[in-house]
Amino acid sequence: MLDESKFDVHLQLWALRIPCELCKVVTRVLSGYLLDKARIKPVTEDPSCEKNRYVILSERVQNPDHVLKQILPPGVEVPSSFETIGHIAHLNITGELLPYKDIIAKVIYDKNYPRIKTVVNKVGTITNEFRVPKFEILAGEKDMVTDLKQYGATFQLDYGLVYWNSRLEHEHIRLASQFKPGDIICDMFAGVGPFAIPAAKIGCEVFANDLNPNSAYYLKINAEKNKVDDRVAVFNMDARKFIQQLMQVPFCEVNPESDVSILKACKTCSVQNNVETEYRNENNAISKPGRRGTNKRMRSLSNTKPWEHVDHVIMNLPASALQFLDVFRDLIQRRHWKGSLPWIHCYCFMRSNETKEQILSEAESTLGAGIQEPIFHRVRDVAPNKAMFCLSFRLPEEALL
């Protein structure tokens, strides 16, 4: 009896997933590169989406890059660089490349797997109060929870729910290198801890806050992962209220008969003090972390009195941090303060038609005090005519109460 399986031929071929309306154009452009076998059509349905089709390439095609160059508009190259966040590749495909986003994502996924397991593209503009972009998953696993490392620190985050910028890695370590063991740090816009965790690993005591409850949740996780949760107090509240609350002299300092402390007053805002912070898991379902007792190792922070001394205040919200400088007006009471005044590290954007003098003038106007010996550090270019800067200065004496 004839064994027909002897005639079977198995081929591993490349295929391009494209929108249905582009099939005629693509097959014409790729003439000579398509599968040419009897009784086999080079264009087939995509079982995952009826609006797409698979265009099967010839077995002669070993690398799809040169095929993509035939498809893409003249002069347009396949993106060779992209931001990497753990196993996620973040693309910014816009304009004339949008019709080819699935093809580009597939090529990047195939060339970088298993290092890259998910390819996403930013959708629209940032409109939410937490400044978290919206993403669409173009290729790979639908998993936005990832782990990554920066300079010896480990971070976990949900890239769809919190802000993270891998391009700021050198800035994170640059600023942290200015801190000394025992320094007291206030991070007003802490995110998941890219400044707070390295500072704590150095030996600093850190009060870290973020308005986004998902960021606060992962910040707490990252403090525990890096075994610095005894040196990081996590808050989930408005940045103004956070710094005002920290600097407020408790009644017990004014009236020694009272045993009220700032940490006791703050416990309804501190994630570390039994607050159940809402967050979304990888399935985008609202969950709550389990209740835990107050960490015994937190006792070292409970003895810190930020209304008496803070060494550095970090304000990493470049789009609007300058507008928050007014919170320092009459914030610190000189009669309770010990030692030198804190360094303020305020991040901002500067356009090509703006000068450092203009930024400094805005900062002084908002602060209500003159700034002596300001330090401008250029962090990175974010657009052809726009750069990110860090303005560092010691809080002026005249800003005190």
Side-chain angles (χ1 to χ4, degrees):
M1 188 172 181
L2 181 62
D3 184 3
E4 295 184 359
S5 65
K6 299 292 186 181
F7 297 95
D8 291 345
V9 177
H10 297 275
L11 299 174
Q12 289 188 337
L13 304 171
W14 288 97
L16 303 177
R17 185 174 62 179
I18 63 173
C20 295
E21 60 269 20
L22 295 179
C23 280
K24 289 185 179 180
V25 176
V26 171
T27 53
R28 183 173 66 251
V29 172
L30 293 181
S31 178
Y33 292 103
L34 302 181
L35 180 65
D36 185 14
K37 296 289 184 181
R39 297 190 299 277
I40 300 179
K41 295 181 178 180
V43 179
T44 184
E45 293 183 355
D46 177 0
S48 64
C49 180
E50 61 181 14
K51 295 181 179 180
N52 294 332
R53 293 292 183 270
Y54 279 116
V55 176
I56 306 174
L57 304 180
S58 168
E59 65 269 27
R60 301 192 308 275
V61 177
Q62 299 299 315
N63 189 317
D65 279 6
H66 69 283
V67 174
L68 276 174
K69 290 180 180 179
Q70 300 291 325
I71 298 175
L72 297 179
V76 177
E77 297 290 334
V78 181
S80 57
S81 62
F82 46 85
E83 184 178 358
T84 302
I85 309 92
H87 70 267
I88 301 170
H90 173 190
L91 308 180
N92 278 317
I93 301 176
T94 59
E96 60 185 357
L97 282 180
L98 273 177
Y100 312 95
K101 62 183 180 181
D102 291 323
I103 300 173
I104 294 171
K106 185 65 166 65
V107 171
I108 289 176
Y109 174 81
D110 288 336
K111 289 178 68 174
N112 294 278
Y113 184 85
R115 182 175 67 90
I116 296 297
K117 298 180 180 179
T118 304
V119 182
V120 302
N121 189 46
K122 187 169 74 172
V123 179
T125 57
I126 299 174
T127 57
N128 60 77
E129 62 178 332
F130 303 138
R131 299 196 60 77
V132 178
K134 289 185 178 180
F135 297 102
E136 59 177 341
I137 297 177
L138 300 180
E141 302 174 3
K142 299 184 184 300
D143 182 11
M144 297 292 278
V145 178
T146 189
D147 292 271
L148 54 92
K149 290 187 176 182
Q150 277 195 0
Y151 286 101
T154 302
F155 297 92
Q156 183 181 101
L157 56 95
D158 187 322
Y159 194 51
L161 298 176
V162 305
Y163 177 82
W164 179 270
N165 191 334
S166 296
R167 296 184 177 94
L168 295 178
E169 180 174 5
H170 294 297
E171 179 60 17
H172 298 152
I173 198 63
R174 181 196 73 86
L175 192 62
S177 68
Q178 300 181 28
F179 306 155
K180 303 185 299 296
D183 279 357
I184 301 173
I185 313 295
C186 290
D187 194 345
M188 294 173 61
F189 312 98
V192 299
F195 288 109
I197 300 302
K201 288 176 73 68
I202 291 171
C204 300
E205 297 183 2
V206 184
F207 295 89
N209 171 72
D210 202 274
L211 182 64
N212 184 347
N214 297 298
S215 295
Y217 169 71
Y218 281 106
L219 174 52
K220 182 175 183 294
I221 285 181
N222 292 331
E224 294 170 350
K225 275 180 170 289
N226 290 275
K227 295 180 172 58
V228 293
D229 47 315
D230 58 330
R231 294 194 291 273
V232 180
V234 181
F235 294 78
N236 172 215
M237 59 197 302
D238 174 79
R240 292 179 188 277
K241 293 180 180 178
F242 161 71
I243 197 72
Q244 289 170 344
Q245 189 165 278
L246 280 185
M247 298 299 183
Q248 182 180 3
V249 179
F251 185 67
C252 65
E253 294 290 318
V254 180
N255 182 1
E257 296 180 0
S258 171
D259 62 353
V260 179
S261 70
I262 186 172
L263 287 184
K264 191 175 292 184
C266 290
K267 69 180 181 180
T268 57
C269 299
S270 172
V271 175
Q272 297 242 21
N273 287 337
N274 298 325
V275 168
E276 290 188 347
T277 302
E278 286 189 349
Y279 72 99
R280 288 178 171 81
N281 60 24
E282 60 269 24
N283 297 319
N284 208 35
I286 295 291
S287 306
K288 291 180 184 290
R291 293 186 67 89
R292 296 180 55 187
T294 302
N295 192 333
K296 293 180 180 179
R297 298 170 64 201
M298 276 293 294
R299 290 175 181 170
S300 62
L301 262 177
S302 67
N303 296 323
T304 302
K305 299 179 179 180
W307 60 88
E308 289 185 348
H309 186 78
V310 165
D311 293 284
H312 298 268
V313 178
I314 306 170
M315 304 175 68
N316 182 26
L317 190 67
S320 58
L322 286 171
Q323 300 168 20
F324 282 80
L325 287 174
D326 62 349
V327 76
F328 294 100
R329 293 185 181 186
D330 299 331
L331 179 68
I332 294 176
Q333 298 187 35
R334 167 47 83 185
R335 65 193 181 97
H336 292 283
W337 195 260
K338 299 178 181 179
S340 57
L341 292 172
W343 278 94
I344 310 296
H345 306 282
C346 183
Y347 288 84
C348 60
F349 291 127
M350 188 185 302
R351 300 187 181 277
S352 59
N353 60 352
E354 294 178 315
T355 64
K356 294 178 181 178
E357 290 73 21
Q358 289 175 310
I359 298 298
L360 183 60
S361 176
E362 180 182 351
E364 291 178 327
S365 176
T366 308
L367 182 62
I371 295 174
Q372 303 299 318
E373 301 181 359
I375 300 172
F376 278 93
H377 172 74
R378 192 186 191 103
V379 178
R380 59 183 289 264
D381 293 336
V382 298
N385 297 309
K386 185 179 180 182
M388 178 179 173
F389 279 81
C390 177
L391 168 61
S392 296
F393 60 92
R394 195 176 289 279
L395 187 68
E397 187 80 27
E398 59 186 296
L400 273 60
L401 183 62

